[in-house]
Amino acid sequence: MLPVANLHLKDLYETTVEFFALRSPAFSYRSVPNDEPDSVDSEPPSPSGISPVSDPVATPQKEYTNLRVKRGAAKRARGPTTCSCRTLGASTAASALYTMRREHDATKSELARSQADSARWEEKCKLLEKTLKETKDMLRARDFEIEVLKQDKAKLIADRHSRERPPSSLDRRRSQDIIRHRSNSSQSLSQRMRLGPELTEHRDTDATSQASSYPRRASSDVVRDNISTISEEDRAHAKGMEVFLTKTDLWSGAQIIQAVQDLNSEILQFAASAVEVCTFTKQRTSQAKIGQAVNDVITRIGPSLTRMLSTHDHSQDPMLVQLALQGCIAFCISRALSSFCIGFQSKGNITLTQIYNRMFQSEPQPTSSRWRALAHKHIHELHPELSDYAVNEMTDTILRWTLDVFLICGCTNPQSNSSSREAFRTRFQSQVKRISKNACALAQIAREEIMSANFEVVGAESGRAFDAREMVDVFEDYGASKGAVLCTTELGLRCSTRKATTGTSATPEENIERRLLLRPKVVLDSAMDVIDQR
């Protein structure tokens, strides 16, 4: 809107005339009437006599133009700001979208981990339920064995009482003997009447008094002695039976399984770490230098796998070396745990093992288990240094066998010289010693702290045919399991329990119930196809 209000209204008449005079040149001042009487004779005013005024239209137009120019400048000044705001808003939206995507990906990853954890916990739950069911069955079997043993104990006590209890018949026999003795003595007295009536009468009186008092004293003493003897023997027998009837276990079957699995994990970690620091080459050392090492490895993991190790190229993928190393360590530990007492002299171990196997097949389960626990405990008490000796010996054996495997595989680091081998021993000695300690601890638990069964750590022999019921193929997910067993990479666990005898004529082996709680993992001949494809 134009600023018309700024026009002055003073002298409106003259201003209007001036306005039209400026806008219309033909306009005559004479045509304008003059109302004042005094100015009738006066001359009309000339244009030169009129005061000049600014154009009232041009000024607002100029101001309007200036305002439009300023407005345009203001719009142009505000233009980049608006654009920058739009750019900033777009970048903010993109950043928010990227953040949402990252959160979405993190949520998906967490969901996948939660699903995996849930599946793992479900498997553990199923395993625990299975173990609980087996434990209940075992408890029922134990209760049945306890009842049978109690019945046997009652029969033994009754038989012993029947043999030792009747003192009355014994007293009668003794009294009869005394009467017979009296009759004999009376006959002898009648024959000796001629020696003197007084002496004979005196002796007869003494004999009669002794004979009359002796049966009463003998009868009471025999009854008292028999009762005290029977009660003391019963108490001693019951106390001894109580010790050997105890079948309480300090470790459950699930805990033993977990201990074996932890031992397998430590073996796997050591084998992977040892292979990772080694370097292998295609060139092999001469057969004359490694002949002894090859023969030693053959006795541990078999000829097939030893031949593959000595001829295969491990410079690109040492997977086969790691599997062979696991097999050597598993064989070392299973052989040590098969003995009666780890670290004890071999002849003594053989004898004790034979004795225990004989007792396990012929005696009740609590009796053989208690004997095993006491024997193992007292061996360690007689030889306190036996535990440390066993751990150190097993550690040295594992390290020596590991270096033999590396030697036949063409390993250049560590080399065959003593300094390089000693550096390798120093680096991995603590890790291998931990494996040895856990193996010895597992042996002590199985020998001394388990009374209800006999737990054995088992592995599959090299060259044996594959049986899916007794072992697991390591590469079963990559194809069909074919061929013979090359080595055992993870140890298994077997539980043996002697059944309660029911009076039937069964062989000792038929009375033993064996269950495989954990199947060992093995490498088959078909694994080479998978390894060559890597």
Side-chain angles (χ1 to χ4, degrees):
M1 184 176 183
L2 297 177
V4 181
N6 293 333
L7 299 176
H8 299 285
L9 298 179
K10 187 180 179 181
D11 298 332
L12 181 61
Y13 177 79
E14 294 177 356
T15 305
T16 304
V17 172
E18 291 175 356
F19 175 79
F20 284 102
L22 291 172
R23 295 296 176 182
S24 178
F27 181 80
S28 175
Y29 291 97
R30 290 185 181 143
S31 60
V32 180
N34 192 358
D35 294 334
E36 294 182 3
D38 298 338
S39 59
V40 175
D41 296 334
S42 62
E43 295 181 358
S46 63
S48 59
I50 301 174
S51 61
V53 247
S54 59
D55 190 356
V57 177
T59 300
Q61 287 181 352
K62 185 182 294 184
E63 292 179 358
Y64 176 70
T65 303
N66 294 335
L67 288 175
R68 290 188 63 183
V69 170
K70 292 180 180 179
R71 182 181 178 185
K75 287 182 178 181
R76 286 192 299 272
R78 288 195 302 269
T81 305
T82 305
C83 182
S84 62
C85 292
R86 292 179 180 176
T87 305
L88 181 60
S91 62
T92 304
S95 176
L97 181 60
Y98 177 72
T99 303
M100 292 174 63
R101 285 180 179 176
R102 289 187 60 184
E103 293 178 353
H104 179 65
D105 294 339
T107 305
K108 288 177 64 178
S109 302
E110 186 176 358
L111 178 60
R113 287 194 300 269
S114 301
Q115 292 177 351
D117 294 340
S118 176
R120 185 167 64 254
W121 283 112
E122 287 180 358
E123 293 179 358
K124 289 186 177 180
C125 182
K126 291 180 181 178
L127 179 61
L128 290 175
E129 290 178 353
K130 183 179 178 181
T131 306
L132 179 60
K133 183 179 178 181
E134 294 176 353
T135 305
K136 289 182 179 179
D137 297 338
M138 189 182 299
L139 287 175
R140 285 194 291 268
R142 292 177 191 171
D143 294 338
F144 178 73
E145 291 179 2
I146 291 174
E147 292 297 329
V148 172
L149 291 173
K150 287 182 178 179
Q151 293 176 4
D152 294 341
K153 177 185 175 182
K155 290 180 180 179
L156 290 174
I157 295 175
D159 294 341
R160 182 169 294 180
H161 285 178
S162 64
R163 289 194 302 268
E164 298 177 355
R165 191 176 66 181
S168 57
S169 61
L170 181 62
D171 294 340
R172 284 194 297 271
R173 285 196 300 269
R174 293 200 176 193
S175 60
Q176 290 175 2
D177 294 339
I178 293 171
I179 294 171
R180 194 179 301 113
H181 177 69
R182 288 180 61 187
S183 62
N184 293 333
S185 62
S186 62
Q187 292 177 3
S188 61
L189 286 173
S190 63
Q191 293 176 0
R192 288 178 292 180
M193 285 291 291
R194 61 181 179 271
L195 298 178
E198 297 179 357
L199 179 62
T200 304
E201 185 179 358
H202 177 72
R203 289 180 178 178
D204 191 16
T205 304
D206 293 340
T208 304
S209 61
Q210 291 178 0
S212 61
S213 61
Y214 176 74
R216 291 192 297 271
R217 184 173 62 253
S219 177
S220 61
D221 293 342
V222 167
V223 172
R224 189 181 302 107
D225 294 340
N226 288 336
I227 293 175
S228 61
T229 303
I230 291 173
S231 60
E232 291 176 0
E233 290 182 355
D234 288 344
R235 284 196 296 270
H237 182 71
K239 188 175 181 180
M241 290 292 290
E242 182 181 359
V243 174
F244 284 91
L245 282 175
T246 301
K247 298 173 64 176
T248 304
D249 296 337
L250 300 181
W251 285 63
S252 64
Q255 290 176 322
I256 301 294
I257 293 175
Q258 187 63 45
V260 176
Q261 291 176 343
D262 294 342
L263 184 61
N264 290 328
S265 299
E266 291 183 354
I267 295 173
L268 174 62
Q269 292 175 7
F270 165 69
S273 302
V275 171
E276 186 178 358
V277 301
C278 296
T279 55
F280 300 91
T281 180
K282 295 181 180 180
Q283 298 179 354
R284 292 290 191 275
T285 310
S286 62
Q287 193 68 21
K289 294 183 179 180
I290 64 173
Q292 184 61 37
V294 171
N295 294 332
D296 293 340
V297 174
I298 287 175
T299 59
R300 299 160 191 164
I301 58 177
S304 300
L305 185 56
T306 304
R307 184 177 62 257
M308 295 176 187
L309 290 174
S310 59
T311 58
H312 199 74
D313 180 18
H314 310 289
S315 58
Q316 300 297 328
D317 185 10
M319 172 63 72
L320 187 61
V321 182
Q322 177 180 338
L323 295 175
L325 189 57
Q326 290 180 241
C328 280
I329 301 173
F331 176 74
C332 176
I333 293 177
S334 63
R335 188 183 68 171
L337 293 179
S338 64
S339 61
F340 187 84
C341 184
I342 300 178
F344 198 53
Q345 53 184 349
S346 59
K347 291 183 179 180
N349 258 328
I350 293 173
T351 304
L352 290 172
T353 302
Q354 292 175 351
I355 294 173
Y356 173 67
N357 291 335
R358 178 69 178 175
M359 292 184 64
F360 181 70
Q361 294 178 359
S362 59
E363 298 294 333
Q365 177 67 48
T367 304
S368 61
S369 298
R370 178 61 61 182
W371 181 88
R372 179 196 65 203
L374 292 174
H376 193 271
K377 175 184 176 182
H378 287 292
I379 287 174
H380 281 272
E381 289 181 354
L382 290 173
H383 304 279
E385 74 284 352
L386 190 60
S387 298
D388 295 337
Y389 171 77
V391 171
N392 295 330
E393 187 69 19
M394 186 181 296
T395 302
D396 293 339
T397 303
I398 292 175
L399 290 173
R400 186 176 67 254
W401 289 13
T402 301
L403 292 172
D404 289 343
V405 171
F406 288 161
L407 181 61
I408 69 173
C409 292
C411 178
T412 58
N413 183 26
Q415 299 178 358
S416 58
N417 54 59
S418 59
S419 60
S420 180
R421 296 168 71 92
E422 191 62 29
F424 180 83
R425 289 173 179 269
T426 304
R427 179 169 185 172
F428 290 101
Q429 187 170 10
S430 60
Q431 189 174 2
V432 177
K433 196 169 186 178
R434 185 167 60 250
I435 296 175
S436 303
K437 286 183 178 179
N438 291 339
C440 293
L442 180 61
Q444 183 179 2
I445 292 170
R447 298 288 187 273
E448 298 183 16
E449 301 181 6
I450 302 296
M451 298 291 110
S452 62
N454 183 32
F455 285 94
E456 303 171 84
V457 175
V458 295
E461 299 177 357
S462 176
R464 178 184 174 184
F466 176 73
D467 188 357
R469 295 172 300 177
E470 298 182 1
M471 57 194 77
V472 179
D473 183 13
V474 176
F475 296 96
E476 64 180 357
D477 297 334
Y478 297 91
S481 301
K482 298 180 296 182
V485 176
L486 294 179
C487 68
T488 300
T489 58
E490 294 187 13
L491 297 170
L493 184 66
R494 182 170 59 200
C495 175
S496 302
T497 308
R498 188 176 185 274
K499 301 177 184 178
T501 57
T502 57
T504 59
S505 58
T507 61
E509 189 63 28
E510 292 177 352
N511 290 331
I512 305 300
E513 180 184 1
R514 305 184 189 276
R515 291 178 299 164
L516 196 61
L517 303 181
L518 182 64
R519 293 182 296 171
K521 291 187 178 181
V522 298
V523 179
L524 304 178
D525 292 332
S526 58
M528 292 304 301
D529 300 334
V530 180
I531 295 175
D532 292 338
Q533 294 175 1
R534 291 171 59 91

